[in-house]
């Protein structure tokens, strides 16, 4: 999940692009050696749906490409929209409730791609860089581009949040829930069991989102260990294939 930083958290002074430099150096060195990472990616790919991530790194793609001959395409949401004709016909902030993603675009999204909806650490420039600081999350341009990409999808397709409960409450997703107010399309959050008190607290946070924004988000607990998500996803895939 993406961490929202304040400008004061970054040591480099100057433009927004200058602020990204120390973070980019960190992401360049990121590696993953957790047991089960490849199994998680296999389960994720077997769900045959678009993969969106709020992470700036490309670790998911690296794990996938290490066990598959067919490499995943890496896109930020803005670069995908720039090459997808349907999105080029939808300029600006989407206020028209009739704008929904076509099945053709959705299939192209599902075809071996990972979309980074807050950008990728390699993105550069004050206008096209990845969304990093609290100020950038509150920026009208980044909010508009985020909604232009995800809103036509979420109006007709369910979003499933995996290992990313906090993402449902980041600034961009709060705008999304507001734009979806009154929608009957359900969305889902997969949570890890922690303790009865924390589990109840997390459930209550989702209930608050549902009540305030008039959306429908369901919570499911997959187990006490992060690795339990693999069995949970495999069971979902088995039921879907029946």
């Amino acid at each position: 999940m993406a961490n929202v930083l304040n400008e004061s958290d970054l040591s480099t002074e100057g433009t927004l692009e200058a602020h990204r430099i120390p973070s980019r150096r960190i992401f360049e060195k990121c590696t993953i050696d957790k047991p089960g990472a490849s199994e998680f990616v296999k389960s994720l790919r077997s769900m045959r749906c678009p993969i969106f991530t709020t992470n700036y790194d490309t670790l998911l793609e690296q794990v996938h490409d290490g066990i598959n001959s067919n490499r995943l395409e890496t896109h930020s949401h803005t670069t995908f929209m720039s090459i997808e004709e349907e999105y080029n016909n939808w300029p600006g902030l989407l206020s028209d409730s009739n704008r929904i993603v076509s099945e053709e675009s959705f299939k192209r999204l599902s075809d071996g791609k990972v979309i980074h909806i807050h950008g990728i650490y390699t993105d550069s420039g004050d206008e096209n860089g990845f969304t990093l600081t609290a100020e950038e999350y509150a920026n009208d341009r980044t909010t508009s581009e985020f909604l232009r990409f995800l809103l036509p999808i979420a109006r007709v397709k369910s979003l499933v949040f995996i290992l990313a409960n906090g993402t449902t409450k980041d600034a961009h997703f709060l705008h999304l829930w507001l734009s979806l107010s009154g929608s009957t399309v359900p969305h889902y959050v997969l949570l890890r069991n922690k303790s009865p008190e924390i589990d109840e607290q997390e459930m209550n946070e989702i209930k608050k989102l549902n009540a305030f924004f008039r959306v429908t988000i369901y919570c499911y607990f997959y187990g006490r260990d992060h690795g339990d998500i693999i069995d949970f996803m495999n069971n979902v895939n088995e039921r879907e294939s029946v």
Side-chain angles (χ1 to χ4, degrees), residues 95-106:
S95 57
D96 182 354
S97 61
N98 293 322
R99 287 176 176 174
I100 59 176
V101 68
S102 69
E103 286 299 320
E104 290 75 16
S105 284
F106 191 75

Side-chain angles (χ1 to χ4, degrees), residues 16-27:
L16 290 176
E17 176 58 19
H19 280 296
R20 296 188 183 101
I21 293 175
S23 297
R24 185 175 289 120
R25 290 170 180 162
I26 293 173
F27 293 126

